[in-house]
Amino acid sequence: MPFILKEISELLEGKVAGDDQVLITGINSLKEASPGEISFFSDPRYRETLKRTRASALLVSGMTDLYRGPQVIVPNPALAYAKVARLFTPPLPRFPGISKSAVIHESSTIGDGVSIYPFVYVGMGAIIGNHSTLFPGAFIGDRVRIGERTVIYPNVTILQDCVVGSDVIIHAGTVIGSDGFGFVRDGTENVKIPQIGFVQIDDHVEIGANNTIDRAALGKTWIQRGVKTDNLVQIGHNVVIGEHSVIVAQTGISGSANIGREVVLGGQVGVGDHIAIGDRAMVGSQSGVAKSISPGEIVSGTPTMPHKLWLKTVGLIPRLPQFNTRIRELEKKVGMLQSKLEKVE
Amino acid sequence: MPFILKEISELLEGKVAGDDQVLITGINSLKEASPGEISFFSDPRYRETLKRTRASALLVSGMTDLYRGPQVIVPNPALAYAKVARLFTPPLPRFPGISKSAVIHESSTIGDGVSIYPFVYVGMGAIIGNHSTLFPGAFIGDRVRIGERTVIYPNVTILQDCVVGSDVIIHAGTVIGSDGFGFVRDGTENVKIPQIGFVQIDDHVEIGANNTIDRAALGKTWIQRGVKTDNLVQIGHNVVIGEHSVIVAQTGISGSANIGREVVLGGQVGVGDHIAIGDRAMVGSQSGVAKSISPGEIVSGTPTMPHKLWLKTVGLIPRLPQFNTRIRELEKKVGMLQSKLEKVE
Amino acid sequence: MPFILKEISELLEGKVAGDDQVLITGINSLKEASPGEISFFSDPRYRETLKRTRASALLVSGMTDLYRGPQVIVPNPALAYAKVARLFTPPLPRFPGISKSAVIHESSTIGDGVSIYPFVYVGMGAIIGNHSTLFPGAFIGDRVRIGERTVIYPNVTILQDCVVGSDVIIHAGTVIGSDGFGFVRDGTENVKIPQIGFVQIDDHVEIGANNTIDRAALGKTWIQRGVKTDNLVQIGHNVVIGEHSVIVAQTGISGSANIGREVVLGGQVGVGDHIAIGDRAMVGSQSGVAKSISPGEIVSGTPTMPHKLWLKTVGLIPRLPQFNTRIRELEKKVGMLQSKLEKVE
């Protein structure tokens, strides 16, 4: 469905410089845009691409003379892009109603306008909120509660007693509520500590594909409102992740760690058990967090250190062989100086 | 189902100090316990919490005067906790019998008391032992053999010819028997080496969620009795993991590595191919194991080094910029000393 | 099905030294081979094993007098092994035709000789090429196109609009076309950037188990011909991976990275966003690639450095405590020299 540029500008509360009656049929990158499509410019690295773009309109934060078509001036072109992209996003493909090839326990409660694909299993006493969507292979365990407008992608497993909020997205292959990794040694054997808690996922959370989020040993593992996780993230039992935090792919958070709000963890980070990471802290990719991090700190490395110190430090790691040579050289020189000095004395 | 404290103490072969007729209705952490619940105390960091707990009884290794209710004295409170928690663990939710919505090959053998949920596929000649449970989306390939009382959680894939023992737990989303990563270069192309072995998982093993365990190229990949793996663990073809070893989340073990018994691998460890790790060795989180480890060694880092040396070493990494400055300073001073000394000579 | 050694030799365009009429019933490692089986010798580490093998014939690059049976001389024994192993590989277990327990949208197109197991879902307008195989739990989204002879293992998710070529293998639990991890901050909240691109996987690609390959934000994420990925690999949105590249387990590639052809990425590598890695470059395990890599470069470490330098460097990391002591010692000595020299002056 096409829009007139004026409509788009009004949606964004922006200002059009140039023809606001242009018909916009889609959105694309500067490089790939065809006539009819709108694009966006915010990263100066793309100046050369901007000059050659075939886009019919542009989202910008300030007028640019590198582009001759109409420009919509907005405070945050990236945010404006997200909003315009939503206009052109095809709707979620939803199964009409409840498939006869799904198995839904008679004691469960299914809300209005729920879409349940074939091969979905919904357990005893589960509750699925209005307008939620369950894709094929979704397993919804006994007494699981799911809010409204939530999307559970294919082959997701949500085990018994877990709670998922409204407007949540859980990508394919993710496991919610697997047992926490708790054992106690008895001689040479590892005795399982029963994991009798659950996982709670609050509203507006998005969980990536093939994540694993373990249920608590006791009490709950808690993913708070607005958290976003990337793919292949591991979250241990009794972890708490504060509101609007962001966790990049392949990061692992050990049991009982407490992550604050608006925290950013880079990719492939490891967080030790019982660690606390303060609000708005940031942790660089591949870091190993073995001690707690204060609010607002920006750290990297193993062990974690201030990010700026880490940048200096990793720059020196390839120079260790030089260090070695320089120290050896110094030792030689100092030895020679010592013997010379002895002679002089 | 509630228990009298005396019953719990007898189960643990412990000794009650105080009223042994208290009714116990559940178990919880010191912090979260409500009246009626039992808790446990072993970690001195929780002394303050202990003073304020509302628990009605306590598992301890030695009497404490920070708590006024009845105490059960046991040699290992963590182990006692695991045993008591089992009393209050709700039973595994099992589908009654074999679902009509499962597809089970007529040539397979299904034991007594097996629970098969909807959307389970059991292949040709497969054998499922007595009282095992197959959750929805479990795929059991041709000729797979599964022992007794084993639990296969949702969306687990066990490919043809693999063997799984008794009292095994395989958490959701895990893949057993995918092809090992074997290719041989032919010009620019990678020619697949057929992977015609299998995976054998022995009794009392527990495999975490979204693990991948590859079948052997020839022969078998072998996970021995009592091994426990956390989530998102990768085990390559022809790997052997000895009895009661423990592997923490997101660790990867390359092909033909040989891990001894009672080994502990921390999280996000990488083990190179053909590496041997001796019995009871321990490897710290995020280590890169590129050379074999002797029995009983405790190592960390990349390259691995004795854990104590590693602790010293990583403490020095953030001081590399200082090292650089100090070396430069020394070079200057030594240069000056040299010229001064030349003048003196 | 057994073969005469002469047949095998002809297949390999090799030359038999010894009796070429021996009947070969299988292939196995030197250590495990039984009479009747053929084995192979290329790695000198296995000389001792070679002396004791019970194999009835041997693939070698040059005659060896450590073995008395017939030998097939071939230029590349590893490649020859792959080819012979294929002779003895049991055929893929295929469901005969299309299961009545699959759900296939009436608007989809299913080719000739396609095998569709129970519990497969094929969406609206999807196309499945001739002789492809879909295992249980495979989800094929709307308008997905799959080529010929492709194998989709159990519990694989391929979301709407993705394109998969011919002769592709996708191992169990893998997710193709999940949303890229794209958000833009709006105050404290993270606003989702709609991901409206797709994933294209070209012919002869093999994707490991439990991989995650995100759809592009705009345009496509592109896995080119002959690429092989191991298990638990993460590929971000808009990534391009060039022909015949190989990616080892648990490696993560961030959004818009551009990987050349015939590149090798070791295990647990992290590649930053927008990074370019040149053709035929190699990156060692656990490296953190934060800057682009030139064609043919061999690098390791975080930050990446030439592999040879890295080998020297990591050898020095455990010696940091010594460095510290040596520098301190030097400082002391230089201090003493300075005061002595002052006296002399």
Side-chain angles (χ1 to χ4, degrees), chain C:
Chain C
M1 192 179 104
F3 294 82
I4 287 165
L5 189 57
K6 190 160 182 276
E7 293 175 296
I8 288 175
S9 174
E10 282 168 359
L11 167 81
L12 303 173
E13 302 178 23
K15 221 179 126 176
V16 180
D19 179 6
D20 67 1
Q21 294 301 307
V22 173
L23 204 68
I24 301 299
T25 58
I27 189 163
N28 216 332
S29 64
L30 288 172
K31 197 178 161 188
E32 303 287 346
S34 305
E37 292 179 322
I38 191 169
S39 195
F40 53 99
F41 175 68
S42 59
D43 184 338
R45 286 181 295 181
Y46 291 104
R47 287 169 58 93
E48 287 308 305
T49 318
L50 176 58
K51 292 183 195 166
R52 292 189 306 271
T53 187
R54 299 164 67 212
S56 290
L58 199 64
L59 304 168
V60 284
S61 58
M63 280 282 287
T64 169
D65 52 11
L66 300 174
Y67 176 77
R68 291 168 174 276
Q71 304 182 22
V72 184
I73 291 110
V74 290
N76 183 346
L79 181 59
Y81 157 54
K83 287 177 178 168
V84 177
R86 212 179 300 158
L87 294 178
F88 296 108
T89 303
L92 187 76
R94 300 184 87 225
F95 191 88
I98 300 177
S99 168
K100 286 174 315 195
S101 301
V103 169
I104 295 171
H105 199 280
E106 55 186 7
S107 65
S108 65
T109 308
I110 311 294
D112 294 338
V114 167
S115 161
I116 300 189
Y117 274 84
F119 316 133
V120 167
Y121 179 88
V122 177
M124 195 170 59
I127 299 171
I128 313 295
N130 300 335
H131 307 290
S132 284
T133 306
L134 307 180
F135 276 87
F139 171 84
I140 311 298
D142 294 351
R143 296 171 303 280
V144 165
R145 282 180 285 142
I146 293 181
E148 304 193 352
R149 295 170 304 281
T150 283
V151 180
I152 309 295
Y153 275 104
N155 296 319
V156 164
T157 298
I158 305 179
L159 290 143
Q160 70 279 2
D161 299 304
C162 292
V163 178
V164 176
S166 292
D167 301 296
V168 169
I169 300 171
I170 300 184
H171 287 284
T174 282
V175 177
I176 311 280
S178 38
D179 281 352
F181 197 61
F183 298 93
V184 52
R185 273 271 157 126
D186 185 16
T188 64
E189 304 211 358
N190 301 292
V191 175
K192 184 175 177 68
I193 300 174
Q195 304 290 306
I196 54 191
F198 63 101
V199 176
Q200 179 180 322
I201 294 179
D202 290 346
D203 297 348
H204 294 282
V205 166
E206 182 165 348
I207 302 290
N210 280 348
N211 279 215
T212 52
I213 306 183
D214 282 347
R215 68 178 54 240
L218 297 164
K220 69 186 174 197
T221 303
W222 189 7
I223 316 296
Q224 295 181 355
R225 185 186 175 87
V227 166
K228 313 293 179 188
T229 74
D230 200 344
N231 299 332
L232 292 167
V233 167
Q234 147 71 1
I235 299 178
H237 51 183
N238 293 85
V239 166
V240 177
I241 303 184
E243 295 188 2
H244 308 301
S245 286
V246 168
I247 300 175
V248 181
Q250 295 180 319
T251 281
I253 303 176
S254 303
S256 302
N258 197 309
I259 315 293
R261 56 177 294 145
E262 296 166 57
V263 167
V264 178
L265 303 183
Q268 297 182 333
V269 168
V271 178
D273 56 291
H274 291 85
I275 294 290
I277 298 187
D279 295 347
R280 282 169 284 275
M282 299 179 73
V283 179
S285 296
Q286 294 190 320
S287 298
V289 185
K291 55 170 198 257
S292 290
I293 313 275
S294 302
E297 267 198 283
I298 302 175
V299 301
S300 283
T302 303
T304 50
M305 59 191 93
H307 184 70
K308 281 180 184 170
L309 173 58
W310 178 80
L311 284 175
K312 271 188 217 164
T313 300
V314 295
L316 293 172
I317 285 178
R319 283 164 63 185
L320 281 179
Q322 284 175 36
F323 280 19
N324 193 27
T325 315
R326 286 163 71 192
I327 294 173
R328 207 184 309 124
E329 199 61 30
L330 280 165
E331 285 166 340
K332 257 191 244 164
K333 283 186 186 165
V334 167
M336 273 162 48
L337 284 172
Q338 277 180 319
S339 21
K340 276 190 190 171
L341 196 57
E342 274 162 25
K343 283 178 206 161
V344 175
E345 282 176 326

Side-chain angles (χ1 to χ4, degrees), chain A residues 47-279:
Chain A
R47 286 170 58 93
E48 285 309 305
T49 319
L50 176 58
K51 291 183 197 167
R52 292 189 307 270
T53 187
R54 297 164 67 214
S56 291
L58 200 64
L59 304 168
V60 284
S61 58
M63 280 282 287
T64 170
D65 52 11
L66 301 173
Y67 176 76
R68 293 169 173 275
Q71 305 182 21
V72 184
I73 292 111
V74 290
N76 184 345
L79 181 59
Y81 157 54
K83 287 177 178 170
V84 177
R86 210 178 301 157
L87 294 179
F88 297 107
T89 304
L92 187 75
R94 300 183 86 226
F95 192 86
I98 300 176
S99 168
K100 285 174 316 196
S101 300
V103 170
I104 295 171
H105 200 280
E106 54 185 7
S107 65
S108 65
T109 307
I110 310 295
D112 294 337
V114 167
S115 161
I116 301 189
Y117 273 84
F119 316 134
V120 167
Y121 179 88
V122 178
M124 196 170 59
I127 300 171
I128 312 295
N130 300 335
H131 306 291
S132 284
T133 306
L134 307 180
F135 275 87
F139 171 84
I140 310 297
D142 294 350
R143 297 171 303 281
V144 165
R145 282 180 285 144
I146 293 181
E148 305 194 350
R149 295 170 303 280
T150 283
V151 179
I152 310 294
Y153 275 104
N155 296 318
V156 164
T157 298
I158 305 180
L159 290 144
Q160 70 279 1
D161 298 305
C162 291
V163 178
V164 176
S166 292
D167 300 296
V168 168
I169 299 171
I170 300 184
H171 287 285
T174 281
V175 177
I176 311 281
S178 37
D179 281 352
F181 197 61
F183 298 93
V184 53
R185 273 270 157 127
D186 185 17
T188 64
E189 304 212 356
N190 302 294
V191 176
K192 183 175 177 68
I193 299 174
Q195 305 289 307
I196 53 189
F198 63 100
V199 176
Q200 177 180 323
I201 294 179
D202 291 345
D203 298 347
H204 293 282
V205 166
E206 183 165 348
I207 302 290
N210 280 347
N211 279 216
T212 52
I213 305 183
D214 282 348
R215 67 179 54 240
L218 298 165
K220 68 187 176 198
T221 303
W222 190 7
I223 315 297
Q224 296 181 354
R225 184 186 176 87
V227 166
K228 313 294 180 187
T229 74
D230 200 345
N231 298 333
L232 292 167
V233 167
Q234 146 71 3
I235 298 178
H237 51 182
N238 293 86
V239 165
V240 177
I241 303 184
E243 296 188 2
H244 307 302
S245 285
V246 168
I247 300 175
V248 180
Q250 294 180 320
T251 281
I253 302 176
S254 303
S256 301
N258 197 307
I259 314 293
R261 57 177 295 147
E262 295 165 58
V263 166
V264 178
L265 303 183
Q268 297 182 334
V269 168
V271 178
D273 55 290
H274 291 86
I275 294 289
I277 298 187
D279 296 346

Side-chain angles (χ1 to χ4, degrees), chain B residues 101-103 118-121 137-139 142-143 155-157 159-161 173-175 178-181 183-196 210-214 217-219 232-235 250-254 268-271 274 286-289 302-303 305 309 312-313 316-317 319-320 323 326-327 330 333-334 336-337 340-341 344, chain C residues 27-29 32 40 45-46 76 78-83 85-90 93-95 99 101 117-119 135-136 153-155 169 171-173 206 209-210 225-232 243-250 261-264 268 280 286 310 314-315 317-324 326-328 330-331 334 337-338 341-342 344-345:
Chain B
S101 300
V103 170
F119 316 133
V120 167
Y121 179 88
F139 170 85
D142 294 351
R143 298 171 302 281
N155 295 319
V156 164
T157 298
L159 290 143
Q160 70 279 1
D161 298 305
T174 281
V175 177
S178 37
D179 281 353
F181 197 61
F183 298 93
V184 53
R185 274 269 157 128
D186 186 16
T188 64
E189 304 211 359
N190 301 293
V191 175
K192 183 174 178 69
I193 300 175
Q195 304 290 306
I196 54 190
N210 280 348
N211 279 216
T212 52
I213 306 183
D214 282 348
L218 297 165
L232 292 167
V233 167
Q234 146 71 1
I235 298 178
Q250 294 181 318
T251 281
I253 303 176
S254 303
Q268 297 183 333
V269 168
V271 178
H274 292 85
Q286 294 191 319
S287 298
V289 186
T302 303
M305 59 192 93
L309 173 57
K312 271 187 218 164
T313 301
L316 293 172
I317 285 178
R319 283 164 61 186
L320 281 179
F323 280 19
R326 287 164 68 193
I327 295 172
L330 280 164
K333 283 186 184 165
V334 167
M336 274 162 47
L337 284 172
K340 276 191 189 170
L341 197 57
V344 174
Chain C
I27 189 163
N28 216 332
S29 64
E32 303 287 346
F40 53 99
R45 286 181 295 181
Y46 291 104
N76 183 346
L79 181 59
Y81 157 54
K83 287 177 178 168
R86 212 179 300 158
L87 294 178
F88 296 108
T89 303
R94 300 184 87 225
F95 191 88
S99 168
S101 301
Y117 274 84
F119 316 133
F135 276 87
Y153 275 104
N155 296 319
I169 300 171
H171 287 284
E206 182 165 348
N210 280 348
R225 185 186 175 87
V227 166
K228 313 293 179 188
T229 74
D230 200 344
N231 299 332
L232 292 167
E243 295 188 2
H244 308 301
S245 286
V246 168
I247 300 175
V248 181
Q250 295 180 319
R261 56 177 294 145
E262 296 166 57
V263 167
V264 178
Q268 297 182 333
R280 282 169 284 275
Q286 294 190 320
W310 178 80
V314 295
I317 285 178
R319 283 164 63 185
L320 281 179
Q322 284 175 36
F323 280 19
N324 193 27
R326 286 163 71 192
I327 294 173
R328 207 184 309 124
L330 280 165
E331 285 166 340
V334 167
L337 284 172
Q338 277 180 319
L341 196 57
E342 274 162 25
V344 175
E345 282 176 326

